[in-house]
Amino acid sequence: MTDRTTLADVAAAAGVSVSTASLAFSGAGPISAATKERVLAAATELGYAGPSALGRSLRSGRSGIVGVVIGDQLRRSFRDPVSVRVLDGLAGSLGPRGLGVLLVPATGDEDDENDPLVATAPLDAAVLLFGARRSSPILGALQHRGIPVVLGEGPTGLGLPVVGVADRQGTRLLAEHLRDLGHERIAVVTLPLGGARRCAPVDPTRLAEIDCPPAEHRLDGLRDAGIEPVAVVEAAASLVEAGTDAGRVLLDVADPPTAVMTQSDLLAAGVIIAARELGLRVPEDVSVAGFDGLDLPWLAPDVLTSVSQPFAAKGQAVAEMVTAILAGEQPADVELPVELRLGTTTGPPPAA
Amino acid sequence: MTDRTTLADVAAAAGVSVSTASLAFSGAGPISAATKERVLAAATELGYAGPSALGRSLRSGRSGIVGVVIGDQLRRSFRDPVSVRVLDGLAGSLGPRGLGVLLVPATGDEDDENDPLVATAPLDAAVLLFGARRSSPILGALQHRGIPVVLGEGPTGLGLPVVGVADRQGTRLLAEHLRDLGHERIAVVTLPLGGARRCAPVDPTRLAEIDCPPAEHRLDGLRDAGIEPVAVVEAAASLVEAGTDAGRVLLDVADPPTAVMTQSDLLAAGVIIAARELGLRVPEDVSVAGFDGLDLPWLAPDVLTSVSQPFAAKGQAVAEMVTAILAGEQPADVELPVELRLGTTTGPPPAA
DNA sequence: CTGAAAGCGCTAACAT
DNA sequence: ATGTTAGCGCTTTCAG
């Protein structure tokens, strides 16, 4: 294959100037139907597939690419149905606006600052969907490059626009529901709180270190409902297995809680599995509730009691924010509403 | 924010020429430590974050971006753990080579030819990971733009390099396993065969329309083992729910098969759920096997009998192929090995 | 070791 | 309606 054919070649072949040829493609400007046709014909002839993105980019200063930074491994983000749904909404809303999504895996290393992608990819904007720690080397690198950043998660006060969901209120609603059912011994399984991943009871020291806004907000919601959990365990990840681990810790004791609230649906599913392993019926012996509102078909015939968050809307909100920023506006933070979803996994506590 | 600082600004501030400044950043070329330092200092001073990707791209003719086309909705691809794992492997291998992954959702419409992303994104190469139909409008558009394409799935003979897995052999191994266990009435649940999505028995007419290489190869493998399935049902998607639907069709009959082979693990999980619903024990009453070799923690304590395919290796192989092509080579097709994984969901057929 | 100059492919004023 | 002329920000010969 020889060198790519360029607009100049086409122009020459059509016997017009480059700028005229340009107009034939962009359509932005006055051009006679005849010449346009001629140029297009010449293009087809030469196998020219339209203006090069690179040239256009340089000229316009825009690449049409939005970087989406996803916590450490892609694997981990993609195993989380929540990220996937939001990402889907984001890509779906960005596409029609002519913007594409570039995956930027955050290695998690300290040298993210020098990550080749973060450092050199031609990004118009970047989105930190999840796992946006308050101080991330990536964030620093992006800001240093002058790339506008939108956060898809809670840490406000960084001067960056944020799209969040009503974590706090949702948790409060759920907690009140359990309280109204008569539960007094409620345990909690949190998302990873930041730093090293582990499955362990959370003590005040650990609580002070939290660097995971959703986890924090959801704990706050609990307090809003006036509930003091009898135990709090941090999960190693938002995965079924991690939920099972946490569930064992909470339930395999002399005097187990009558209800377990988890900070994600996958964790809740894991807790349910742990409960069954231990011979506990859900919800007769122990109620289990999640957060997210996922469809978990393999839980059938059960339906998990949970707090539904609007995935697609979140992606869309982020997309709108990005568009606004690129248009030079300064969008205000958004908080999306959640909804309590009552399923079959919560009920009154055992008479005992 | 004023106009971005450019290399020229930095050069001016450092009192050197642009070309020298360029050298200070690229390191490719002779430059005195002193000048280099001076330039870098000036850069920091001005808040210059290194050469702009756009300029570099135009100059080098490379954007460092690989488009990954994912079947219709992101959602669907991302709900499929297989895609996700492969994508993870791909991104992981591409990253260190300085290449990023741009998600290109195929709308599935006929006008994909004019999809803004496909048409204008600055791609160095593209990968069709899954759902590469033999004639895709996207494929045409990409080739027309002169963008090299790598296929992550079977349709050979398009003149495009392909990374495949040993679908056929894997299925044969699995089928032989079931035959050796004594099964004679084996049913099959296939992946969507292309075209409209439906859950329905597959007749010869439909068989002739297949446009889904993995499904086709896996059916071939069955034949290689000399097995004639008693029934074949096409699933509407590779999802648990779809498997449950298909399972009901196959098992809720007077004389159900003694074993069900599905073309994906999620489908197998769905069939298991359907079986349980119908009061059939697995594997005592019916054996169920999948394909993929996923971890399905919520199936615990069962382990699905399946054919493990090497996800990460596949992504890596695709990455290598892309790299080779960008280096001007013409890589040969790759077929990755699979492995039979015996779990607890298959056993001898009921005595009957 | 450093500077000057010529583009990469395209678009947008401006002039014709 | 079309052509001319400058660049966008950078890299890279090629001289000095």
Side-chain angles (χ1 to χ4, degrees), chain B residues 7 19 22 48 52 59:
Chain B
L7 187 56
S19 46
S22 175
Y48 179 74
S52 137
R59 191 56 234 236

Side-chain angles (χ1 to χ4, degrees), chain A residues 58 144-145, chain B residues 1-22 24-25 38-56:
Chain A
L58 177 55
H144 183 232
R145 278 186 64 195
Chain B
M1 207 181 276
T2 90
D3 265 3
R4 290 222 62 51
T5 31
T6 140
L7 187 56
D9 301 334
V10 176
V16 298
S17 77
V18 230
S19 46
T20 307
S22 175
F25 284 102
R38 199 142 44 85
V39 174
L40 261 32
T44 325
E45 181 83 15
L46 298 180
Y48 179 74
S52 137
L54 260 25
R56 187 206 303 282

